[in-house]
Amino acid sequence: MSLSTHQLQVGYQDKTIIKDISLTIPDGKVVALLGPNGCGKSTLLKAMARILTPKSGEVLWQEENLHKLPSRWLAKHLALLPQTQPIPEGVTVKDLVAYGRSPYTGFWGRLSRHDHELITQAMQQVGVEALAEQRVSELSGGQRQRVWLAMTLAQDTPYLLLDEPTTYMDLSHQVELMQLLRQLNNAGKTVITVLHDINQAARYCDHLIVMQAGAIVTQGTPEEVLTTELLSTVFNVDTQIHKDPISNTPMCIVK
């Protein structure tokens, strides 16, 4: 048990978004946070990444309060890909991906041979190696999203948190990304991702956490979680559940 929350409440100014959530992320799984817009998925993810400070309760890493851990140490164990990122002017793809090695490079920021190998590997994994010398500001939205993902992968942490990582990506790159997440998981990483596509989550993720109005409705395997009753209650859609003929996972079809 590495990452968990205890009676967590999180919000913005006077508004509480996350309401008293106690949750343990299963180690060694691909975990999807699902729910309608505004239910608190991204807020919960940011709290687990220490971007947001709880109003009350705790986020725990191996039973220690996450907010009391040294920042550099935490950055070697947990990486976050936010939903939106700034567009840096004049920065090349390779330079941006190299920022992912910042927790390891020390005061002078000098990259070792190992750092360069991980930077190249991350660019290859997301298919942007050919763009290495281009400026990030000149890329399309989908290309920029993959570059930011490469920077997150270059951080080389055991836990990877992704907030709607398929944003701006066309269908083929979405499939490539989800397959990459499975490969990273097979290599030992725990992946936590916010997704909107329920069928995508059911096909590629081991554990689903469904949220509504700042609380967890249910969690478990796709087979345990996805029912017509749940989809009607949480997403307000009338569906049928079938087996995906390729992956043999649950597949939701809207009537």
Side-chain angles (χ1 to χ4, degrees), residues 166-183:
T166 57
T167 301
Y168 306 119
M169 290 187 181
D170 58 34
L171 183 58
S172 65
H173 285 118
Q174 289 185 33
V175 172
E176 288 176 5
L177 169 64
M178 298 309 297
Q179 290 174 340
L180 173 60
L181 296 185
R182 288 258 40 124
Q183 293 168 10

Side-chain angles (χ1 to χ4, degrees), residues 80-197:
L80 170 70
L81 176 67
Q83 186 175 350
T84 57
Q85 304 88 17
I87 303 175
E89 290 294 333
V91 176
T92 67
V93 167
K94 187 174 182 178
D95 287 341
L96 182 60
V97 177
Y99 290 156
R101 300 304 300 160
S102 297
Y104 307 88
T105 54
F107 182 79
W108 295 107
R110 293 176 179 171
L111 297 172
S112 68
R113 177 180 295 181
H114 179 62
D115 293 323
H116 283 292
E117 289 173 351
L118 288 175
I119 291 164
T120 299
Q121 176 182 297
M123 291 191 293
Q124 290 173 340
Q125 285 177 313
V126 301
V128 297
E129 188 181 18
L131 305 175
E133 302 304 326
Q134 284 193 233
R135 294 181 180 180
V136 178
S137 59
E138 297 171 349
L139 303 180
S140 69
Q143 289 173 324
R144 284 198 298 268
Q145 184 75 352
R146 285 186 284 143
V147 171
W148 282 103
L149 175 59
M151 187 190 76
T152 307
L153 295 180
Q155 200 170 327
D156 193 30
T157 57
Y159 268 62
L160 190 60
L161 281 62
L162 310 169
D163 194 357
E164 298 188 30
T166 57
T167 301
Y168 306 119
M169 290 187 181
D170 58 34
L171 183 58
S172 65
H173 285 118
Q174 289 185 33
V175 172
E176 288 176 5
L177 169 64
M178 298 309 297
Q179 290 174 340
L180 173 60
L181 296 185
R182 288 258 40 124
Q183 293 168 10
L184 294 169
N185 174 250
N186 291 337
K189 294 183 186 293
T190 298
V191 179
I192 311 166
T193 181
V194 173
L195 293 174
H196 280 294
D197 189 323

Side-chain angles (χ1 to χ4, degrees), residues 72-83:
R72 184 177 290 271
W73 183 92
L74 185 64
K76 295 178 181 179
H77 292 79
L78 187 153
L80 170 70
L81 176 67
Q83 186 175 350

